[in-house]
Each structure stands twice: as structure tokens, then as C-alpha cells.
Amino acid sequence: MPEVAAVASALDDKLRGRVIASGHLVSFSALKTFRIGLEALAGLETDRVTRHGKFIDVEAQGVHLIFHLARAGWVTWHDVAPKVPARPGKSGLALRIVLDDDSGFSLTEAGTQKHLAVYVVTDPAEVPGIAALGPDPLADDFTLDSFRAVLADAGRSQLKGVLRDQKRLAGIGNAYSDEILHAAKLSPFKPADSLDEAGGAALYEAMRTVLRGAVDAAAGLPLTDLKDAKRASMRVHGRAGETCDECGATIAEVSFADSSLQYCPGCQTGGKPLADRRMSKLLK
């Protein structure tokens, strides 16, 4: 979410008040809506760029170009958009938007698994992922009591999964859920309903502090610097085998079929390692 917020802010600065000249769809599987064509954006003035969870919303006179970058997608800004027609290739180009002054941006996705998604709608709620989003954990009205209700509703679900579940909390991904749990000194596999009042309050504060700090740190950075800045700020995520800055223990990892998590045994699990398998529990 922090990087998505920074991307939305950067695009808002560049797009607001500009007229969209054209849109070039290269990866046809990326477009998930068909009622309104991409050509409907041509000639429209951009009102603003906002976010909904991890979705970025370019609003132009009642039409919304919404995209989700997924795990491997990214935005590249062009002061002068390439003149060569956009074509599929090794660049992973999915979509290019060109403005009336010939500037614009491209959406690209690395790797062979294509999950980047693009929507053209008149109401963001038409996007299923947005309609199903839980509350934004940084919203002013998302209080500790609101968070306690999320935890109570999650029951025996593990904290890692609760934080990542977009239907429960909008915008927290794999990396920041690791960082939040480390800051709160909680095991990723601790059941949500097992937290006492102090534990729930600590997790709420850690969540808000980690996310707000990351949003503030990413604000204003060039798009090209955001990924490196994110990696440099991580305390446990992506640092398996390194030394924890807090306690000196070795940061450990649990691998799943398509993802992994990192945690500090010293800070989070009382020195006990977690079994490296799906549905893992603390080793006895």
C-alpha cells in the first residue's frame, strides 16, 4: 500500500488537468472489463488519481481507468511517450497511456505469470476487488475498536493471513504484514482471537506506525526509486539469514507454494523456529 499510495500521488501530480489522447492495450488479457472500451478515455481531462487499497484509480470526467499492479507490475513515466507503436515483447508492456502533450505512462509486468489487471468503469464499485475491500487501516475512522472487530470476526485465522486478507483490511500485502508483525513482536501464525487487549492494541499501533512511516518515506520519491527504497526499509521481509537489528537473532523464513514470509524467532516466537510448511505451527 505505501508504494501504491506513492505511485497514485506521483501520477496525480503529472496527470491532473491533462487530457488523455490515447490508450494502447498490448496485453489483452490484462483488460477485465468490456462494457466501456479503452477508447472512451480519449479526449477526457483527468480529474484526479486516487487509490482504493492496492488499486490505482485514474478518474477522467466520470470514467475511471483502474489498475492493480499485482506482484510483478509497475508504472513507468515517459516525459515523451515512445513513438513506436506499442507491441507485445520482452518488455512486459501491458498498457500505455499517452497525453495531449505527448507525455504518458506505461504499465509493465515482469515474469510469465500475468496478474496485472486493468478496468474501465464509471463507478469504482464495478471492480469486484474494490467492492469487496475491507476498511483502510490508515483511515481516520479506523479506530482500535474497529480493529478489534476485525480480529474478532477472523476467529482462529492466523494473524499473517488476517493482515493480508483484502476483504478484512485493504492494502496490506506480504511485505508489510511481515514488518507489522515484527514490530508488534507477534508470531505470524498466532490466532487472531487469541490476542488479549494489550496484544490487540500493540498490533493496531504497530500496523498504523509501520504503514504511516512507509507512506511518509515513499511520498515524493521518483517512481524509479520506490522499489529500492522499500527494500532498504525492510527490517525482516526479504532478509532471511541476516541478523535482526532488534535482538541479534537470525531472521528466518517459511516458504509456501507461491510466496514466503520472514520473521525473527528472537522477537516474535520466543526463540522457537516455525516449521517450514503450509499451515505451520510452532514446533513443540
Side-chain angles (χ1 to χ4, degrees), residues 106-277:
S106 296
L107 302 184
T108 58
E109 186 173 21
T112 58
Q113 294 187 3
K114 301 303 181 183
H115 298 296
L116 185 148
V118 177
Y119 310 81
V120 182
V121 296
T122 55
D123 182 350
E126 294 176 51
V127 178
I130 292 178
L133 282 176
D136 189 313
L138 289 182
D140 291 340
D141 61 355
F142 187 71
T143 64
L144 176 56
D145 285 341
S146 304
F147 185 57
R148 291 193 196 282
V150 170
L151 294 177
D153 185 65
R156 300 295 294 171
S157 298
Q158 297 166 341
L159 290 177
K160 172 74 175 180
V162 173
L163 292 177
R164 289 191 62 186
D165 187 344
Q166 300 300 297
K167 294 180 181 180
R168 297 192 187 278
L169 295 165
I172 303 175
N174 190 39
Y176 286 103
S177 57
D178 284 350
E179 294 298 298
I180 290 165
L181 290 166
H182 178 253
K185 300 189 184 305
L186 291 168
S187 167
F189 296 130
K190 188 175 182 64
D193 64 2
S194 70
L195 287 180
D196 57 19
E197 287 195 8
L203 182 56
Y204 174 79
E205 288 301 323
M207 178 179 65
R208 303 264 287 191
T209 300
V210 168
L211 292 177
R212 177 54 63 196
V215 167
D216 291 345
L221 289 178
L223 293 176
T224 51
D225 294 348
L226 283 173
K227 289 186 177 181
D228 287 341
K230 174 184 176 179
R231 282 190 287 266
S233 70
M234 296 287 106
R235 307 294 296 276
V236 289
H237 184 78
R239 292 187 56 195
E242 298 181 28
T243 299
C244 173
D245 296 333
E246 290 289 322
C247 72
T250 300
I251 296 168
E253 179 173 274
V254 175
S255 298
F256 302 108
D258 60 352
S259 66
S260 63
L261 66 84
Q262 290 79 45
Y263 69 100
C264 172
C267 292
Q268 296 174 253
T269 61
K272 298 179 181 179
L274 295 170
D276 192 6
R277 64 179 186 272

